[in-house]
Amino acid sequence: MRHFYTLLLYLAAPFALLRLLWKSRQLAGYRGRIGERFGFVPRTSGDAIAVWVHAVSVGEALAAQPLIEALLARYGERSIWVTTTTPTGSARVIAAFGDRVHHSYAPYDLPDVVSRFLDRVRPARFVVMETELWPNLFRACCVRGIPLTIANARLSPRSFRGYGRVRGFARDTLSDVTMIAAQSKSDAARFRTLGGVRERVRVIGNLKFDLNLPEASLDDGSLLRARFGARPVWIAASTHDGEEAAALDAHAALVELQPDALLVLVPRHPQRFDAVWSLIEDTGLRSERRTRLAALDKSGHAPDLSAAQVFLGDSMGEMFLYLAMADVAFVGGSLVDVGGHNVLEPAALGLPVLFGPQMHNFEAARALLLEKIAAVEVADAAQLAEELAVLLASPDRCRAMGAAGAAAVAGNRGALKRLLTIIEAQTPCE
């Protein structure tokens, strides 16, 4: 099965290049540094790479930040190599760590590419965030004696069913893993059923509970909110195609009841910013966007924002700034078939959280917030508008839900400490 898988990958390689070029039409970063995806990264020379951390995109990179900071404190700057798959994930790593870490795109899962990458990087340990299973890479690490930990490991029921169709191959791949540090008991059970050896699967909790709140961004968000005046504000965060229209419909209904309400709309992917701006303009709602506002401020022509009804967050790496502006947060990827995004960030800030029914990527966090009465699940734009109207008209209920969410996040910290113990217990092989 591995040979067949590898043959298919080699046959698909030219199409992967074409796909990168096609995707670069909307996000130019896909055209850059293509050689890194084939293992052509700088040699580490005198730098000893204590840990290689792979975080596929923005969500995983954000989850990995506390871990990477802890590893830097333990092993020193330039001792950690971080890879991503997407340009947005790359931008997040560069913004967060600069040149304190080595950074590149991850190698494609081809034997010669993987070998080239490992020859140049020479990591002592390898940590993969969440649910990235790469058979050739994992086998190469096993052969070279590089301990491999799947950190913050999650396996949704949908992914479990998918891997279940090639269970023997999945079991073979998991046999090369040193430790699976699972987010929850249900994730651990699915990994064990799939073929993870019981003593190599541990439940450590969700690393996203250990997030660091960036005080500077929160202060900037509070200052920015003040410029819009004293009024109710809600955020639709990390939205996907279809959810922006739902959020705008909900907001149009909301302003009928609360004319001064403000929507902060933050699409998940930067290549969609302009399209979403056009969608906002088509509604006729008075609007402003972050990049235009920043340019006007820089030119000394600060606009009056008191009449704005929608504010487009069209910048990267500023989610906490946008969350700090809000009284209530709707988290996207949940009204469409994506699986939801991180509901713990707004909860940690003490915001009531709303989300749709498609939350299979965050099932444990969803269940926790619903249990603690810190969140409400909505079915569609109409119910979203109803819940927003109730919450924004009820400051006491907002505060109670927000406090419950913040307490739930605080009470579940500790995964980072447990994960570090696991990683450092893995003895580097000579």
Side-chain angles (χ1 to χ4, degrees), residues 47-86:
D47 294 330
I49 301 302
V51 186
W52 165 24
V53 179
H54 176 59
V56 60
S57 192
V58 174
E60 294 80 6
L62 287 169
Q65 275 187 229
L67 170 63
I68 296 169
E69 289 288 2
L71 292 172
L72 286 170
R74 170 68 175 82
Y75 296 106
E77 294 189 359
R78 307 294 289 174
S79 63
I80 309 302
W81 195 294
V82 184
T83 56
T84 61
T85 299
T86 68

Side-chain angles (χ1 to χ4, degrees), residues 348-426:
L349 293 182
L351 298 180
V353 182
L354 304 175
F355 46 74
Q358 302 291 337
M359 285 290 293
H360 50 266
N361 288 335
F362 286 85
E363 58 177 8
R366 167 192 173 277
L368 174 67
L369 295 185
L370 290 175
E371 176 192 348
K372 299 298 183 181
I373 316 179
V376 177
E377 184 174 298
V378 298
D380 51 30
Q383 191 178 358
L384 176 60
E386 291 173 8
E387 293 294 340
L388 285 168
V390 171
L391 286 170
L392 292 174
S394 310
D396 289 343
R397 184 184 174 197
C398 276
R399 281 192 290 271
M401 289 181 65
V409 173
N412 282 275
R413 292 181 184 272
L416 176 59
K417 183 178 179 180
R418 291 186 284 271
L419 177 59
L420 286 169
T421 299
I422 287 173
I423 292 171
E424 293 179 355
Q426 311 305 320

Side-chain angles (χ1 to χ4, degrees), residues 62-390:
L62 287 169
Q65 275 187 229
L67 170 63
I68 296 169
E69 289 288 2
L71 292 172
L72 286 170
R74 170 68 175 82
Y75 296 106
E77 294 189 359
R78 307 294 289 174
S79 63
I80 309 302
W81 195 294
V82 184
T83 56
T84 61
T85 299
T86 68
T88 51
S90 175
R92 180 67 261 157
V93 170
I94 293 169
F97 302 106
D99 61 1
R100 292 190 294 149
V101 302
H102 296 272
H103 168 62
S104 69
Y105 286 124
Y108 285 142
D109 196 34
L110 299 167
D112 59 321
V113 172
V114 167
S115 180
R116 183 182 301 118
F117 181 89
L118 293 176
D119 286 345
R120 294 176 177 225
V121 174
R122 297 177 293 119
R125 300 170 179 85
F126 180 29
V127 177
V128 180
M129 295 298 297
E130 301 200 358
T131 323
E132 292 280 294
L133 302 183
W134 298 109
N136 288 324
L137 173 57
F138 285 17
R139 178 54 52 86
C141 288
C142 182
V143 169
R144 292 178 184 234
I146 301 171
L148 193 168
T149 302
I150 302 179
N152 217 40
R154 62 180 175 87
L155 194 62
S156 69
R158 176 180 298 182
S159 295
F160 174 72
R161 290 191 295 271
Y163 283 120
R165 287 191 280 269
V166 288
R167 182 164 296 181
F169 192 28
R171 182 173 60 249
D172 186 46
T173 299
L174 290 176
S175 70
D176 293 327
V177 176
T178 310
M179 186 62 68
I180 298 172
Q183 290 186 19
S184 68
K185 291 180 180 179
S186 57
D187 290 308
R190 284 190 281 268
F191 272 109
R192 290 181 183 126
T193 302
L194 197 60
V197 179
R198 177 168 293 274
E199 58 268 23
R200 295 183 184 177
V201 182
R202 295 184 193 171
V203 179
I204 66 161
N206 192 337
L207 198 60
K208 292 179 179 178
F209 284 107
D210 290 86
L211 77 170
N212 296 318
L213 299 180
E215 294 299 330
S217 292
L218 301 183
D219 291 343
D220 290 343
S222 296
L223 291 173
L224 182 55
R225 172 178 175 147
R227 295 178 60 182
F228 286 89
R231 49 167 147 165
V233 181
W234 71 285
I235 183 173
S238 297
T239 54
H240 289 255
D241 187 19
E243 290 182 316
E244 291 89 10
L248 290 167
D249 286 345
H251 192 61
L254 179 64
V255 296
E256 293 292 326
L257 301 173
Q258 301 187 51
D260 60 342
L262 173 68
L263 163 62
V264 179
L265 182 55
V266 188
R268 178 73 173 180
H269 297 118
Q271 61 267 36
R272 300 188 57 249
F273 287 159
D274 288 340
V276 174
W277 177 247
S278 296
L279 189 65
I280 295 170
E281 290 186 312
D282 289 344
T283 66
L285 293 166
R286 296 183 297 276
S287 54
E288 187 55 86
R289 59 192 298 178
R290 172 67 167 156
T291 51
R292 179 177 177 272
L293 178 61
L296 289 171
D297 287 347
K298 190 174 182 180
S299 69
H301 297 87
D304 179 9
L305 301 174
S306 60
Q309 295 171 301
V310 181
F311 182 53
L312 175 64
D314 59 342
S315 62
M316 294 296 296
E318 293 193 306
M319 183 57 77
F320 278 104
L321 176 147
Y322 297 126
L323 288 171
M325 296 177 65
D327 300 306
V328 177
F330 166 75
V331 178
S334 59
L335 283 178
V336 293
D337 193 13
V338 170
H341 291 300
N342 191 354
V343 293
L344 299 177
E345 291 176 346
L349 293 182
L351 298 180
V353 182
L354 304 175
F355 46 74
Q358 302 291 337
M359 285 290 293
H360 50 266
N361 288 335
F362 286 85
E363 58 177 8
R366 167 192 173 277
L368 174 67
L369 295 185
L370 290 175
E371 176 192 348
K372 299 298 183 181
I373 316 179
V376 177
E377 184 174 298
V378 298
D380 51 30
Q383 191 178 358
L384 176 60
E386 291 173 8
E387 293 294 340
L388 285 168
V390 171

Side-chain angles (χ1 to χ4, degrees), residues 9-33:
L9 282 189
Y10 275 116
L11 293 174
F15 298 99
L17 285 174
L18 290 174
R19 184 169 180 266
L20 288 177
L21 294 174
W22 178 261
K23 293 176 77 171
S24 72
R25 294 167 63 250
Q26 292 185 309
L27 195 59
Y30 279 106
R31 278 197 302 273
R33 298 154 49 200

